[in-house]
Amino acid sequence: MTETRLRFPPSPTGYLHIGGARTALFNWLYAKKTGGKLILRIEDTDTERSTQDSIQGILDGLEWLGIDWDEGPYFQTEYSHDHLAAANRMLAESHAYKCFCTKEELEARKEAAMAAKQVVGYDGTCRNLSPEQVTEKESAGSPFVLRFKVPERSGMLGYDDKVLGRIEINYKEVDDFVIVRSNGTPLYLLCNVVDDIRDRISHVIRGQDHMTNTTRQVLLYEALGAPLPVFAHMPLTLDLKKAKISKRKHGEIVAVHFYQEHGFIPWALCNFLALLGWSPGDDREIFSREELIEAFSLERINKANSIFNYRLGDEKFFTDPKAIAINEHYLRTMDIGEIGDMVQKVLEKEGLWDLSYAGERKDWYLHTLDLTRDRFHTLNDFATLGRAYFADDFQVEKKPLEKNLLKFPELKEWLPQLADRYQTLDLFTAEETERVAKELADEKGVKPGVIINGMRTVVTGQLAGPSMYDILMVLGREKVVQRLRDVSRLFQ
RNA sequence: GUCCCCAUCGUCUAGUCAGGUCCAGGACAUCGGCCUUUCACGCCGACAACACCGGUUCAAAUCCGGUUGGGGACGCCA
């Protein structure tokens, strides 16, 4: 069997979004699965909208996700010679013809067809121009485009789709499409096929929104005398209103960098994306890289579109709850060293990173992450909810402040007293600090919870957290005493 | 409007090709409980779906037809 060759061909007209990332992921998975190659090709023939920033954004996004490629990036504009050669060959072999219809004429005819509720498509006006007529128009300087000449055949035009099965359409439904613009530049339908042939692409995995393109491209392959690749059209990812997700309509929430900025673990996002439109056939939902590659197959890609269940304006569920759940799973179960590397970037960005965390305090650093990660949802939480572990300027949240502190005014006196006792403790251990805290509660005639929760609020700013005495050990006597003594500032 | 594709819990899905083991399984979310003198994690439990109509069959979520619904495409964008 010859090598499988797949490609991811983004057009650099914006950031990488999750739909594109998912397409890239599926292609990557299949390439890995079959021991083949993934080719990255930047389809930048839309010079109006392509930008350098976008190219960089796509590259960065793929790198962050861990989707690597074997060849490229190739740039489509660098192969325009190939595209034009193919177009000229088709013209010479009567697979294409010059069309002199102007945009205005086409527009008028289209509207007329719409009004008359007829099929909207090119009517073939220039298809049967005689050589003399063509020469005449050309010498008159009339601009022209090149149109593909759809064969006059009865019956059906089709292909076998790996996920959808046989797809067919009647030849008469396909109108003659433009392959080269009047300014001489080739169009997507053509470039894409020419490049896929040159790059020896064996499998084309793309969204179902390309299905009509595929039927027309089948004709192009035929005209160019090239064998058809295997086609697999993935279901689309829809928004809550069941519209195709797009950068323009959905903005940040569908951008890969949004997840990076919100503290997602890259592989967690890949894992989530893989489950959107594919399943292994059993109950597994969490996959390592190797497991996913092993389990993946084109046949198990779903036919039906899926909905990206994002939520806007929800603090905890800022995106699809399942994506967050998967992220949490990795956050709690991954090797703490790997988590440490990822959190380092977050802390650096927030100005909370200390070089000693990678040196003499590394054990402390990793222990702290391990202690707190069970309650967190994203990597960013270490710098926000967990800020008190790395800095003194943390915020005391309103809810615990009112519930655990202001409600008990006596704590203004008691907590500094506790600080004094901690200060003079022979051994600052979990057992000792617990004993002393309970002792104080006993003396004051309150439940230990009053002291403990007040202490938690002052020391971490949070309502929830790990075992109080574990926290004290991580923070160390000095910080604990200092924060407890300073409690009066919160009673202002 | 025309063509193409699709249709199982709120969401992601298993089951459909080889009809019975499915009064439909898992996950997320939600709700309840256990655990925890915090909150989570974890564990246990509950709620919740075969779009509709007809046909084939002893038997249909599964096969066939239709209806409805949803999506996509209809560019000198990619």
Side-chain angles (χ1 to χ4, degrees), chain A residues 245-266:
Chain A
I245 56 168
S246 65
K247 303 166 200 174
R248 252 189 85 183
K249 276 172 65 180
H250 304 91
E252 295 284 290
I253 190 77
V254 301
V256 166
H257 66 78
F258 175 88
Y259 294 87
Q260 183 173 8
E261 286 154 15
H262 277 74
F264 255 70
I265 293 167

Side-chain angles (χ1 to χ4, degrees), chain A residues 240-369:
Chain A
L240 298 165
K241 283 179 274 182
K242 299 195 172 177
K244 187 170 74 159
I245 56 168
S246 65
K247 303 166 200 174
R248 252 189 85 183
K249 276 172 65 180
H250 304 91
E252 295 284 290
I253 190 77
V254 301
V256 166
H257 66 78
F258 175 88
Y259 294 87
Q260 183 173 8
E261 286 154 15
H262 277 74
F264 255 70
I265 293 167
W267 182 251
L269 184 59
C270 287
N271 195 147
F272 168 73
L273 255 19
L275 260 18
L276 232 44
W278 173 87
S279 76
D282 52 41
D283 287 343
R284 285 179 299 163
E285 295 200 315
I286 299 293
F287 298 87
S288 68
R289 230 159 244 275
E290 295 67 31
E291 287 168 339
L292 189 57
I293 290 164
E294 170 63 29
F296 188 75
S297 78
L298 262 26
E299 287 75 13
R300 290 211 59 86
I301 294 177
N302 242 280
K303 292 180 180 178
N305 295 336
S306 53
I307 293 170
F308 177 51
N309 196 19
Y310 66 88
R311 306 186 178 185
L312 283 180
D314 189 322
E315 201 175 318
K316 182 179 174 193
F317 296 113
F318 59 90
T319 185
D320 193 312
K322 186 132 185 167
I324 293 179
I326 292 175
N327 197 55
E328 287 169 354
H329 172 85
Y330 283 102
L331 195 57
R332 302 197 210 313
T333 57
M334 274 179 81
D335 175 77
I336 197 66
E338 287 183 65
I339 296 287
D341 292 342
M342 291 188 286
V343 173
Q344 177 178 346
K345 293 192 181 116
V346 173
L347 295 184
E348 281 172 344
K349 200 175 150 201
E350 296 301 315
L352 296 174
W353 179 250
D354 189 305
L355 277 178
S356 67
Y357 298 165
E360 71 272 19
R361 298 194 72 199
K362 186 164 186 178
D363 286 346
W364 173 86
Y365 170 64
L366 295 182
H367 174 64
T368 301
L369 301 188

Side-chain angles (χ1 to χ4, degrees), chain A residues 357-401:
Chain A
Y357 298 165
E360 71 272 19
R361 298 194 72 199
K362 186 164 186 178
D363 286 346
W364 173 86
Y365 170 64
L366 295 182
H367 174 64
T368 301
L369 301 188
D370 199 24
L371 187 67
T372 50
R373 64 169 162 175
D374 272 357
R375 262 148 284 250
F376 293 162
H377 309 294
T378 70
L379 263 14
N380 288 2
D381 289 342
F382 288 100
T384 54
L385 304 177
R387 191 177 176 96
Y389 297 94
F390 305 105
D392 291 321
D393 62 346
F394 59 93
Q395 282 285 313
V396 174
E397 290 193 351
K398 191 167 175 247
K399 203 169 161 187
L401 180 66

Side-chain angles (χ1 to χ4, degrees), chain A residues 408-427:
Chain A
F408 304 99
E410 302 92 331
L411 286 172
K412 193 176 172 182
E413 318 299 331
W414 297 349
L415 259 20
Q417 288 173 25
L418 185 62
D420 290 342
R421 297 188 191 188
Y422 280 172
Q423 173 98 65
T424 55
L425 219 45
D426 285 340
L427 291 170

Side-chain angles (χ1 to χ4, degrees), chain A residues 45 61 80 122 149 261 275 382 462:
Chain A
T45 53
S80 51
Y122 184 63
K149 189 186 281 183
E261 286 154 15
L275 260 18
F382 288 100
Q462 295 290 306

Side-chain angles (χ1 to χ4, degrees), chain A residues 167-185:
Chain A
I167 302 299
E168 287 186 324
I169 179 176
N170 203 304
Y171 270 97
K172 65 177 179 224
E173 303 287 349
V174 188
D175 62 342
D176 294 344
F177 52 92
V178 177
I179 53 176
V180 178
R181 295 184 180 93
S182 54
N183 70 4
T185 57

